[in-house]
Amino acid sequence: MNAEKLVELPLFQGLNQEHLELLALGVERESYARDALIFAQGERALKLFVLLEGRVAIRYKPYDGDVLPVAEIKPNGVFGWSAALGRQSYTSCALSLDESVMLSMRGETLKQLCEQHPETGVIILERLAEVIAQRLQNTHTHVVELLRNGVKS
């Protein structure tokens, strides 16, 4: 992946050329067939993903309940951020809903970049915080809807 392509992605906009080139060295392109499992809930969190093409479902299975849809990721969306946050495992699973193409970056690679170039780390972490906040808002809304429907039944 070259730096010119990375700058087109919202997660990496605002980074300087040097930092984009460093990021490009650690990014891999991955493809998944429809209905393919990208990562399982509880699996070791190794990679952060940016979706380029297709759709990805994020699903959570509580210990004592049914699988809950958390989010549907569309192109330019970020998922697997447990790896970027240093968590040991993914808290949800990711399933490719269509044939999908994405970029992946090992969490350890991103951490090293952020330590060596703190100004870049701040930009990336701010963008990740926006993604996380939006996902939590969407999840909150979905949980409230499920509870309302459960009470009505």
Side-chain angles (χ1 to χ4, degrees):
M1 175 60 55
N2 62 32
E4 290 76 31
K5 293 288 185 189
L6 288 180
V7 76
E8 295 171 8
L9 299 171
L11 182 63
F12 303 123
Q13 288 176 350
L15 299 180
N16 68 38
Q17 188 65 28
E18 175 192 358
H19 297 156
L20 286 167
E21 289 172 8
L22 289 169
L23 270 172
L25 295 173
V27 171
E28 294 182 23
R29 187 178 178 100
E30 298 187 27
S31 298
Y32 290 86
R34 180 182 178 154
D35 296 327
L37 182 66
I38 300 165
F39 57 79
Q41 181 174 327
E43 183 179 316
R44 189 164 173 223
L46 297 175
K47 299 177 185 177
L48 172 72
F49 298 87
V50 179
L51 187 63
L52 300 177
E53 299 172 19
R55 294 177 306 138
V56 170
I58 305 299
R59 297 180 179 156
Y60 174 73
K61 169 75 170 90
Y63 176 73
D64 60 349
D66 296 330
V67 174
L68 300 173
V70 174
E72 183 177 305
I73 310 301
K74 295 185 171 127
N76 293 327
V78 179
F79 64 101
W81 32 266
S82 293
L85 299 177
R87 292 195 171 169
Q88 292 296 312
S89 59
Y90 292 112
T91 56
S92 301
C93 76
L95 178 72
S96 181
L97 296 175
D98 301 321
E99 287 188 18
S100 298
V101 177
M102 58 204 69
L103 298 179
S104 68
M105 173 176 273
R106 296 182 67 78
E108 192 59 39
T109 301
L110 186 58
K111 179 181 175 186
Q112 289 172 357
L113 177 71
C114 292
E115 288 173 352
Q116 294 168 4
H117 304 278
E119 64 283 358
T120 299
V122 167
I123 293 169
I124 293 172
L125 291 176
E126 285 175 351
R127 301 272 166 68
L128 281 174
E130 291 170 14
V131 169
I132 293 167
Q134 182 63 43
R135 180 91 41 84
L136 291 174
Q137 178 61 40
N138 291 343
T139 302
H140 172 77
T141 301
H142 185 71
V143 168
V144 169
E145 182 180 315
L146 286 173
L147 289 172
R148 283 187 184 145
N149 291 336
V151 170
K152 290 179 185 177
S153 299

